[in-house]
Amino acid sequence: MTVSQVGPPEVQPAGQQAPAGRVHGNRAVLTASALLVVGVLVLSALSLSVGAGEVGAGDVLDYVLGRNGARDSSRLSLVVGDLRLPRTLTALAVGAALGTAGCLLQAVTRNPLAETGLLGVNAGASLGVVVGIAFLGVSSGYGYLLWAFGGAVLASALVLLIASRRGGGSPMRLVLAGSALGATFGGITSVLIVNSAETYDRFRFWVLGSLAGVEGFTKLTGLLPVLAAGFVVALLIARPLSALALGDDLAKGLGHRPGVIRVVVAVAVTLLTAASVALVGPISFLGLLAGFLARAVTGPRLTAQIVLAGLIGAGVLTGSDVLARVVSRPFEAPVSVIIALFGAPVLIAIVRSRRMASMGMTDPAAEESPKGGRGVAARLPRPRKGEDDGAGTLVVRSGSLSLLVPRRAAVAAFALAALLVGAVVLSAYAGQSEMSLSRTFNAVFGSGDRFDVLLVQKFRLGRIVAGLAAGAALGLAGCLTQTLARNRLATPELLGVNDGATAAVLLSATLSGTFGAWWAGPLGALAAVLVVTAVSGGLGQRGYRVLVVGLAMSALASAVTQVVLSRRSLNSASSLYVWTSGSLNGRSYSVAVPVLIGLAVLVPLALVVARHLNVLRFDDSTAASLGVAPGRVRLVCMLLAVGLAGLAVGICGPVGFVALASPVIAGRLAGPLRVPVVGSMLVGATLVVLADTVGRVALDGVEIPVGIVTTVLGGPFLLWVLLGRSAAARV
């Protein structure tokens, strides 16, 4: 996006008329605002008129206006005064808060795909609720409110503290800190849930998000000052935030302090989101939807974006709540599912529109040209002072054949391979049975006690092989995706792969009555990507269009998954939830062998493509002049990543954090100028095997799923890698 798109509005000299285009734009914004206000009022009236209690619009109007003794009626006082009116006002306030928060986050991170869970607020609120349920027996809506708000504030405060160290919180540091800490909090939440069926039974309904529990004004009035403070801060920070879009140096020249601006924005987002999650539960997709639609209407004017995002959020949440009451009577549908089902198609339609194309939001953001006009070479990753640049190579010759082996990457690969062997030995040895290391080695080769051989060969080794296959596939898929997107946070789940594969496996379990159809994972992943590709108009270089459609697809698939879990019996839902957290329980050779065959085909292709990915670090014209077809390479890489991620989900469920962390760790070891294909596979396999071992032995009689272990332990480690002293200058 260019400076003219995101900068503050220009001031016209005295006596000079504003350009006709700007006048037309102001009129369009005013018209859109008026239409949104009318729409919100209509939806509010509909919300007051629809619901249980056989109370129609006429009775509601009499009660609101105090006519015909309506307020003396106990039935009207209960239905309208205690139920519908507080629920409608809560929907309006929460929708506006989430819309505003989403708009602020998208502005401060300069990322139109940012949403309100970015600072770890949703994960912190969920952890707070689970802690209250598990340890204090909280069961009331007001108890949920207090614990959710406390957890959300704590999470956001930690993110701000971490991101502001060593030079202030840049947008990337905020994103990285929020992602890593949110993953850790989510993992801790899952640990508490899998160990308590009662806690999970309460949590699985709260996490869907609903306004059904709103009764009276107690909750709303308790958090109204928090919401009001968040709205006020959002409006006051709009102009400084517009200046920040010009870049930190120009913003400083205009008298602003970028670090302070980001902290204030994060505080406003925390206040708005924490209060919203405490009132109705986590509804993450709404902030993304409202902020994106507001930008589509207003363009770069941030104050108008904030106002319209609030109106859009209020209207969408109120309308979704009305639909939630009527689509499955006499029951209520989760409001977050309604938002995903209706909001995702709208978001897709907007991102495919010509207006978005004219705003430059369907193409990848252009990287800024470095000072001095050094061009393409300046955009390549550069090693730090004193660091091996990865250029040192060994020449291996055999007759007329020769091979160049990068020295640092080779050393890193051998070290990771040795670590992987140690992890396999530890996993085969560790367990609840007290078996010595020598007995373990004998059992591996089929000698010794028959029970030892049965335990090691039939159960542990099959599970280890499954974990090796899944980890290698996840690491390689993450490496391809991150290199292709030039983004360390990019994983296959951005294209709906994980959620699509998970929904497919759950659907196969529902239809067949049995669980374990590993082949449903790749099919679901492929179906998700085909839909994303077809709807977005192809992968190519369409940047944000593909990502937005992928996020919409993920929201739809995730909504389906949550509904399936909420509608099943507690025992069935608990088992399925463990798998959706990522688990190797019950996995053996029967699942691992087909995946290993798939890896035998896909890995060599990935090694070939990796050479072309190095060239794609230049711009497309330079890559084409070097004999590389950028579009073809991107398509092949995306298909490889999808196939690998789908195979991994079929084995152990959606362990997305491994795909995120493996390339980052491998890249640090191999050097900045290498695509760490082999290293990512080795790191991914090691992480999965070690995490499965820890999950089996950490608690007596209870197994912690591998996906939960990786997020709990890997989150802080990844945060240290990305935001440590050595990375501070680059983030």
Side-chain angles (χ1 to χ4, degrees):
M1 56 185 67
T2 62
V3 170
S4 61
Q5 290 174 318
V6 295
E10 298 178 4
V11 179
Q12 293 294 326
Q16 184 175 349
Q17 294 182 352
R22 177 171 297 177
V23 174
H24 177 73
N26 291 335
R27 289 178 180 174
V29 171
L30 290 176
T31 302
S33 301
L35 291 175
L36 283 172
V37 170
V38 172
V40 169
L41 292 177
V42 171
L43 290 171
S44 300
L46 191 61
S47 177
L48 291 173
S49 305
V50 174
E54 301 297 330
V55 175
D59 295 331
V60 172
L61 188 61
D62 288 340
Y63 182 86
V64 172
L65 299 179
R67 302 184 310 193
N68 304 324
R71 294 186 179 177
D72 296 329
S73 171
S74 59
R75 183 171 66 93
L76 289 178
S77 296
L78 174 63
V79 173
V80 180
D82 293 338
L83 296 178
R84 293 187 189 175
L85 189 58
R87 182 168 180 163
T88 301
L89 294 177
T90 300
L92 292 172
V94 169
L98 291 176
T100 302
C103 181
L104 289 175
L105 271 179
Q106 291 172 16
V108 75
T109 61
R110 303 172 192 170
N111 182 356
L113 305 181
E115 49 93 17
T116 51
L118 196 64
L119 297 184
V121 177
N122 289 353
S126 298
L127 178 59
V129 169
V130 168
V131 167
I133 294 174
F135 296 105
L136 299 177
V138 174
S139 59
S140 65
Y142 193 73
Y144 292 163
L145 182 148
L146 294 177
W147 282 94
F149 185 77
V153 172
L154 175 63
S156 186
L158 288 175
V159 170
L160 282 175
L161 180 63
I162 294 170
S164 60
R165 296 175 66 242
R166 299 190 183 104
S170 67
M172 180 57 73
R173 290 175 69 88
L174 283 173
V175 171
L176 295 175
S179 299
L181 194 64
T184 302
F185 277 18
I188 297 173
T189 299
S190 298
V191 170
L192 297 176
I193 288 175
V194 298
N195 289 320
S196 173
E198 181 182 359
T199 302
Y200 171 68
D201 193 30
R202 297 180 186 177
F203 176 77
R204 64 174 173 156
F205 296 104
W206 177 85
V207 77
L208 286 173
S210 175
L211 287 97
V214 177
E215 298 180 2
F217 292 94
T218 303
K219 294 182 181 180
L220 182 59
T221 54
L223 289 178
L224 194 59
V226 178
L227 291 172
F231 286 125
V232 171
V233 173
L235 292 175
L236 292 178
I237 202 65
R239 188 170 183 83
L241 186 56
S242 297
L244 193 61
L246 296 170
D248 286 6
D249 292 337
L250 288 177
K252 290 178 182 178
L254 294 173
H256 299 290
R257 300 174 62 184
V260 174
I261 294 173
R262 294 188 182 104
V263 170
V264 173
V265 170
V267 170
V269 171
T270 298
L271 294 176
L272 295 170
T273 308
S276 301
V277 174
L279 285 169
V280 302
I283 305 177
S284 57
F285 188 63
L286 183 56
L288 168 65
L289 178 65
F292 205 91
L293 295 182
R295 180 176 177 85
V297 175
T298 66
R301 286 160 291 189
L302 187 57
T303 303
Q305 284 182 38
I306 293 174
V307 174
L308 262 68
L311 289 173
I312 292 171
V316 170
L317 185 56
T318 304
S320 300
D321 184 47
V322 173
L323 290 174
R325 302 179 216 171
V326 300
V327 294
S328 60
R329 284 183 172 178
F331 305 103
E332 284 199 19
V335 68
S336 59
V337 175
I338 300 297
I339 292 175
L341 290 176
F342 288 89
V346 172
L347 189 61
I348 292 172
I350 290 295
V351 79
R352 285 180 58 90
S353 67
R354 293 182 178 179
R355 175 169 175 78
M356 296 307 292
S358 66
M359 290 168 59
M361 294 189 64
T362 56
D363 295 321
E367 298 183 37
E368 294 181 2
S369 178
K371 294 180 180 180
R374 289 173 290 176
V376 176
R379 294 196 292 268
L380 291 174
R382 290 183 174 273
R384 299 183 305 276
K385 183 178 181 180
E387 180 184 54
D388 181 9
D389 64 357
T393 57
L394 298 175
V395 181
V396 180
R397 289 189 176 91
S398 177
S400 60
L401 300 178
S402 63
L403 177 67
L404 294 178
V405 179
R407 182 180 291 107
R408 176 172 173 176
V411 171
F414 278 115
L416 288 172
L419 181 62
L420 179 58
V421 171
V424 170
V425 172
L426 178 62
S427 182
Y429 164 71
Q432 300 297 335
S433 64
E434 297 180 358
M435 186 166 41
S436 66
L437 190 60
S438 61
R439 287 171 56 187
T440 301
F441 272 106
N442 290 332
V444 168
F445 296 103
S447 61
D449 185 80
R450 291 180 58 187
F451 175 77
D452 292 347
V453 174
L454 177 66
L455 177 62
V456 172
Q457 289 195 350
K458 185 174 180 57
F459 296 102
R460 292 186 183 173
L461 284 184
R463 184 166 178 161
I464 290 171
V465 172
L468 290 173
L474 286 169
L476 182 53
C479 176
L480 292 175
T481 309
Q482 290 184 13
T483 306
L484 186 64
R486 302 176 186 175
N487 187 335
R488 285 177 292 182
L489 296 180
T491 59
E493 61 186 318
L494 284 178
L495 295 178
V497 169
N498 282 6
D499 288 310
T502 303
V505 173
L506 291 181
L507 183 60
S508 70
T510 301
L511 295 178
S512 64
T514 60
F515 187 72
W518 66 268
W519 45 265
L523 289 180
L526 181 60
V529 171
L530 287 177
V531 172
V532 171
T533 303
V535 173
S536 61
L539 294 174
Q541 300 185 55
R542 296 181 182 272
Y544 284 129
R545 176 184 290 186
V546 177
L547 294 179
V548 170
V549 175
L551 289 173
M553 184 69 190
S554 294
L556 288 172
S558 179
V560 171
T561 299
Q562 294 294 343
V563 170
V564 169
L565 293 178
S566 67
R567 295 298 173 89
R568 298 181 73 96
S569 64
L570 179 58
N571 290 335
S572 176
S574 299
S575 300
L576 291 176
Y577 178 79
V578 170
W579 180 82
T580 58
S581 300
S583 175
L584 288 171
N585 188 22
R587 291 329 210 183
S588 61
Y589 296 110
S590 61
V591 172
V593 170
V595 178
L596 289 174
I597 295 174
L599 287 175
V601 176
L602 298 178
V603 170
L605 292 176
L607 291 173
V608 173
V609 172
R611 297 181 60 191
H612 300 297
L613 283 177
N614 274 320
V615 178
L616 285 187
R617 295 186 179 189
F618 300 96
D619 56 42
D620 286 357
S621 60
T622 304
S625 67
L626 294 175
V628 175
R632 185 182 305 168
V633 172
R634 290 191 181 95
L635 178 61
V636 172
C637 285
M638 197 59 64
L639 291 177
L640 287 173
V642 168
L644 291 164
L647 289 172
V649 172
I651 293 180
C652 61
V655 189
F657 193 77
V658 173
L660 173 66
S662 298
V664 174
I665 299 172
R668 292 293 299 275
L669 294 175
L673 300 182
R674 303 291 174 188
V675 177
V677 174
V678 176
S680 296
M681 294 173 56
L682 293 172
V683 172
T686 304
L687 288 178
V688 171
V689 172
L690 285 179
D692 184 52
T693 305
V694 172
R696 286 191 287 112
V697 303
L699 299 176
D700 290 335
V702 177
E703 181 176 317
I704 304 175
V706 60
I708 296 176
V709 177
T710 56
T711 53
V712 172
L713 301 181
F717 176 75
L718 181 62
L719 192 64
W720 174 76
V721 170
L722 294 174
L723 301 181
R725 182 183 302 275
S726 60
R730 299 194 310 274
V731 177

